[in-house]
Amino acid sequence: TAGSRRVPLLEAFRRALRDLRLAGSVQVTDVNMLSPAVLVADKAHLVPLSNDPAYVDHIETICRREQIGLLVPTIDDELPLFSQARDRFAGHGITVGVSSTFVTTLCNDKYATCVHLRGAGVAAAESFLVDTLPASRQFPLFVKPRFGRGSVGAFPANCARELSFFLEYVREPVIQEYLVGPEYTIDLFCDMESRPISAVPRERSVIRAGVIDRGRTVKDSALIDLALATAAALPFVGPC
């Protein structure tokens, strides 16, 4: 879904089919038929936005018509939708590469995710909502939307005045301790039974509009162990 600029991902699936000597095609959906992945996919389908009430129906119709065996959602916002519809797709022989409704819903909530991880003994930033923020505060703090992605609306607050402003400016804010140091993301891949297959840490060297532009993979056992601990606390399916 949402093929957009995901040409390397599309090509990776093509290589997998070729290497495994499997017949099949790699198809994409998008809201814009000029997207790069649309132009290189074996077949492309125009669909409404994921917030359209008929979105999942559109995807199901395409999958059944094209005899799709594996459906791969790629946008955070649509993961809960497809997790709720997993059994529905499975009834037509379609596997959906998505985690459970519990996991997809929780992970779209930054505050709930941190609370859950800390409760499971996994290191995560101490997090507060406006009404749970202690009176004694140690700056800097970090303010971000409780629900959101791409680093939109995320700001450091270095003093009480800045904190007060950002709590008004950011919609549904969550306040977190400010973590100092290099920024890493960890690519984790789990099988359909939520067993981790691979964990690859990457240092985010250059960030553009909240998305990594240049990075460096690192083999760091502490980061890999953190990913595995997270997977034990949250049974993921597929890539995350």
Side-chain angles (χ1 to χ4, degrees), residues 8-70:
L9 179 61
L10 187 153
E11 296 292 357
F13 274 102
R14 276 200 179 127
R15 282 196 304 275
L17 286 172
R18 185 170 60 248
D19 293 347
L20 295 170
R21 298 181 180 179
L22 296 174
S25 62
V26 183
Q27 304 188 21
V28 301
T29 66
D30 210 298
V31 297
N32 186 342
M33 288 292 98
L34 294 178
S35 294
V38 166
L39 302 179
V40 298
D42 296 322
K43 195 168 185 178
H45 309 274
L46 181 66
V47 295
L49 292 169
S50 61
N51 59 4
D52 188 302
Y55 177 69
V56 174
D57 293 335
H58 276 275
I59 300 296
E60 182 188 354
T61 298
I62 293 167
C63 288
R64 295 180 66 180
R65 183 179 68 232
E66 300 294 331
Q67 297 182 300
I68 297 297
L70 173 64

Side-chain angles (χ1 to χ4, degrees), residues 107-131:
C107 289
N108 270 325
D109 182 331
K110 293 178 174 60
Y111 175 74
T113 300
C114 283
V115 169
H116 179 83
L117 290 176
R118 288 171 67 89
V122 180
E126 189 171 12
S127 305
F128 307 95
L129 299 178
V130 174
D131 57 359

Side-chain angles (χ1 to χ4, degrees), residues 74-154:
T74 68
I75 300 295
D76 293 349
D77 301 349
E78 65 183 17
L79 297 182
L81 293 175
F82 284 115
S83 66
Q84 293 164 17
R86 277 197 309 182
D87 292 343
R88 169 177 160 186
F89 280 88
H92 301 293
I94 304 161
T95 298
V96 185
V98 68
S99 302
S100 68
T101 301
F102 168 75
V103 170
T104 56
T105 302
L106 183 79
C107 289
N108 270 325
D109 182 331
K110 293 178 174 60
Y111 175 74
T113 300
C114 283
V115 169
H116 179 83
L117 290 176
R118 288 171 67 89
V122 180
E126 189 171 12
S127 305
F128 307 95
L129 299 178
V130 174
D131 57 359
T132 64
L133 187 63
S136 57
R137 302 155 190 172
Q138 185 173 350
F139 292 95
L141 292 168
F142 206 77
V143 182
K144 63 178 73 168
R146 183 173 179 177
F147 308 94
R149 55 188 168 94
S151 296
V152 176

Side-chain angles (χ1 to χ4, degrees), residues 178-197:
Y178 190 93
L179 303 177
V180 179
E183 184 181 352
Y184 293 89
T185 185
I186 307 175
D187 298 321
L188 177 67
F189 186 69
C190 299
D191 66 14
M192 298 304 293
E193 282 72 48
S194 299
R195 294 173 297 205
I197 294 173

